[in-house]
Amino acid sequence: MENKSIDLKNASSYDVACAAVKALMKMKGSSIKLFCVKDTSSVTDYYITVTGRSKTQVSSLAEEVVYQLELAGREAARVEGKRGDTWILVDYIDV
């Protein structure tokens, strides 16, 4: 399911987080967890963790989130950790 009908350009951080979780579920990420930290963090509103079964899947999970959210109008502020593929951070500032 693509996010073509969803406009995330000015969406709430919750909607962005939910779209990211949907993309991770589509790619069969394991142990997907969405944490609401807006009351305890000045850095972000939501934090998502997911586990991949291989370096290839870790990379694919990150790529799918970036792709799906870009289709919906939201670009990542930065992506880190891509070279090692053992962990990757995709930062949307509030997610």
Side-chain angles (χ1 to χ4, degrees), residues 21-62:
V21 167
K22 282 183 183 179
L24 294 168
M25 290 172 64
K26 175 183 174 186
M27 297 301 292
K28 304 205 185 304
S30 302
S31 303
I32 301 169
K33 293 186 173 68
L34 172 62
F35 301 94
C36 178
V37 296
K38 61 184 172 185
D39 294 334
T40 58
S41 173
S42 62
V43 178
T44 192
D45 292 344
Y46 293 92
Y47 183 80
I48 302 166
T49 61
V50 60
T51 301
R53 292 181 294 280
S54 67
K55 289 181 179 184
T56 303
Q57 188 185 26
V58 169
S59 182
S60 295
L61 289 165

Side-chain angles (χ1 to χ4, degrees), residues 56-77:
T56 303
Q57 188 185 26
V58 169
S59 182
S60 295
L61 289 165
E63 289 172 6
E64 186 67 15
V65 168
V66 169
Y67 174 72
Q68 290 296 329
L69 272 61
E70 278 182 0
L71 282 179
R74 184 62 74 97
E75 288 190 32

